[in-house]
Amino acid sequence: GWRVFLSREAASTILSGGVSVPQLNLEQIYHLQVHIVKLMMELENGYADILKSGDPEDKCLVVCDRGIMDASVYCDKPTWDRVLADTGLDSTSSCDARYDGVVHIVTAAEGAEEHYNLESNAEGVRHETAEQARELDKKTLAVWRRHPTLTVIDNSTDFTGKVARVVEAVANVVGESAPKNLKRRKFLCGNFDLRTMSNVTNSNCEYHYLISTDGKQHRLRRRVVDGSYLYTHIRRNVNDNGETFDVKRNITRREYLQYLQHQDPQHMLIRLIRQNFVYQNRNFSCNTILGIPSKEKNDNPLTRSPRAFNNVLILSVWAGDDEELILPPPEVAFVEKEVTGQLEYSLYYMSKASLKENGSGVPV
């Protein structure tokens, strides 16, 4: 089993002491957000330290009610930049480098208005109307969109189903099976054009596969967003039912360089451009897996590929097998077919050193 600690919402603790945000001036709001973030970090770090000091074989998890980036929604950008500077954080260390996964639970005011109320607000610190709640929800989702493991839980099911989907999302983050199989569905595309989409996060990723000594697949990911680097070790587990789960752990640059000494010579570096956006309350990823068409030359080290095949375009999203999935319109992502579970469209397969190209410039 798992040992689970809950880090409760820091803002409610402070605001319930009599703080009335509408009565604060800009400087007071700055100090309020600084102390909310510091308390949040203290709680999260405290629970993590307690768990880490236990048996190293224990499976442990800290679930956080709110994360640091949430605080940015409640102040303007200049104020938030001051908060980050005062707390020694930046957009990476307060988001994707700090949390292994993010589950955004859409407010009931969006799609289940009849169930939206303030009765569960025991501390009395929330006073938003349904319209205000919807606006804050959109802003909150936007500040987390850069996280590579973001799952959006909308109101397409009843409350019991919503809770079950949250459990599935958390299970996928930690690499455990869940009561219902939520999986990353993949679609082969002929074209991407995201110019009409708002709040698109662009990142460059590269993957190295490692020699395995335990029979499991291990790979490294280096992700570059807005000039910030994030290093991740990913281990693929297989449960008794044959289902695969990725366990991701953020690592330091030093650890990354150490792991690189154990690259699998049978697999080559894979580079891709990833564009994330939210559509119909789902976090979609447009992945352009980079190859080199025979007449193309690319001198950019972030987007240069060693592979001699044309770029492969894959649209991916977390969803259930039996869900009626609404995909982005074809002018955004022109879907040719679903390729979920097809080995030839996996990064592992396309990284094979023995892979050749056919006459059309695609991997075979």
Side-chain angles (χ1 to χ4, degrees):
W2 283 77
R3 297 189 64 190
V4 181
F5 286 177
L6 173 62
S7 183
R8 299 189 182 277
E9 186 183 16
S12 293
T13 300
I14 292 179
L15 295 176
S16 62
V19 178
S20 176
V21 176
Q23 297 177 359
L24 301 182
N25 61 37
L26 190 60
E27 188 66 15
Q28 288 175 312
I29 289 176
Y30 156 69
H31 286 285
L32 170 65
Q33 297 304 333
V34 165
H35 289 289
I36 286 175
V37 169
K38 286 183 176 180
L39 178 57
M40 198 180 303
M41 294 172 64
E42 186 67 25
L43 290 171
E44 294 172 0
N45 294 343
Y47 287 125
D49 286 344
I50 294 170
L51 291 173
K52 289 177 181 177
S53 62
D55 189 331
E57 297 299 318
D58 286 348
K59 294 191 285 188
C60 303
L61 176 67
V62 179
V63 177
C64 306
D65 183 357
R66 296 283 190 162
I68 290 173
M69 290 302 298
D70 287 327
S72 67
V73 176
Y74 298 90
C75 60
D76 58 27
K77 189 178 185 305
T79 300
W80 180 243
D81 289 341
R82 289 180 64 196
V83 172
L84 290 178
D86 195 56
T87 54
L89 297 169
D90 57 29
S91 56
T92 297
S93 60
S94 58
C95 183
D96 32 347
R98 184 170 183 86
Y99 304 100
D100 293 310
V102 175
V103 181
H104 178 83
I105 305 174
V106 175
T107 174
E110 181 66 61
E113 292 85 351
E114 66 275 16
H115 298 294
Y116 178 75
N117 58 65
L118 300 174
E119 293 177 4
S120 61
N121 179 28
E123 296 87 356
V125 298
R126 302 290 183 213
H127 307 283
E128 296 91 359
T129 64
E131 183 177 353
Q132 290 170 332
R134 285 191 290 269
E135 185 63 24
L136 285 172
D137 189 82
K138 291 176 182 177
K139 290 181 179 179
T140 302
L141 178 55
V143 300
W144 289 106
R145 69 183 186 275
R146 65 174 286 157
H147 198 287
T149 312
L150 168 66
T151 305
V152 183
I153 308 296
D154 62 12
N155 294 295
S156 57
T157 63
D158 60 16
F159 183 73
T160 300
K162 193 174 184 180
V163 172
R165 284 183 290 143
V166 172
V167 173
E168 294 166 26
V170 175
N172 275 291
V173 171
V174 300
E176 294 282 358
S177 57
K180 180 182 176 183
N181 185 23
L182 185 72
K183 63 169 59 177
R184 185 175 291 279
R185 294 175 62 178
K186 298 180 179 180
F187 301 84
L188 180 67
C189 295
N191 185 54
F192 291 146
D193 187 348
L194 274 62
R195 288 177 294 179
T196 60
M197 306 302 294
S198 61
N199 295 325
V200 177
T201 297
N202 298 286
S203 60
N204 294 299
C205 300
E206 61 179 40
Y207 291 84
H208 294 270
Y209 285 85
L210 305 178
I211 296 173
S212 175
T213 58
D214 59 3
K216 298 177 181 179
Q217 182 193 113
H218 294 260
R219 65 187 187 273
L220 298 177
R221 179 180 68 198
R222 188 184 74 165
R223 183 169 179 261
V224 186
V225 185
D226 298 330
S228 297
Y229 289 76
L230 180 66
Y231 305 95
T232 306
H233 172 266
I234 305 170
R235 184 185 73 244
R236 175 154 293 182
N237 288 349
V238 182
N239 66 13
D240 294 337
N241 298 322
E243 300 167 328
T244 60
F245 302 92
D246 286 342
V247 181
K248 301 174 183 177
R249 181 175 66 90
N250 291 334
I251 58 177
T252 65
R253 183 176 183 274
R254 168 177 274 187
E255 290 175 304
Y256 176 81
L257 295 175
Q258 290 174 340
Y259 275 123
L260 278 180
Q261 305 304 311
H262 305 282
Q263 294 180 67
D264 188 339
Q266 297 184 35
H267 291 267
M268 295 178 67
L269 165 69
I270 282 283
R271 283 197 171 103
L272 62 87
I273 298 172
R274 178 166 292 153
Q275 298 170 288
N276 286 83
F277 62 94
V278 175
Y279 179 75
Q280 295 291 324
N281 284 325
R282 292 188 185 276
N283 184 37
F284 285 88
S285 292
C286 290
N287 302 281
T288 303
I289 303 162
L290 299 172
I292 305 179
S294 56
K295 296 183 180 180
E296 179 181 318
K297 182 179 180 181
N298 184 356
D299 295 323
N300 186 340
L302 287 177
T303 59
R304 186 174 61 235
S305 172
R307 308 318 309 272
F309 54 72
N310 287 331
N311 295 346
V312 179
L313 278 56
I314 300 291
L315 176 73
S316 63
V317 61
W318 283 97
D321 277 331
D322 56 351
E323 284 190 73
E324 185 176 339
L325 185 59
I326 301 176
L327 295 173
E331 58 268 25
V332 173
F334 186 82
V335 174
E336 297 180 352
K337 62 179 179 178
E338 182 165 4
V339 294
T340 304
Q342 296 185 28
L343 178 63
E344 60 267 34
Y345 294 101
S346 68
L347 295 183
Y348 182 79
Y349 180 84
M350 284 187 273
S351 71
K352 287 185 175 181
S354 59
L355 198 63
K356 306 296 182 183
E357 64 171 320
N358 64 16
S360 302
V362 298
V364 294

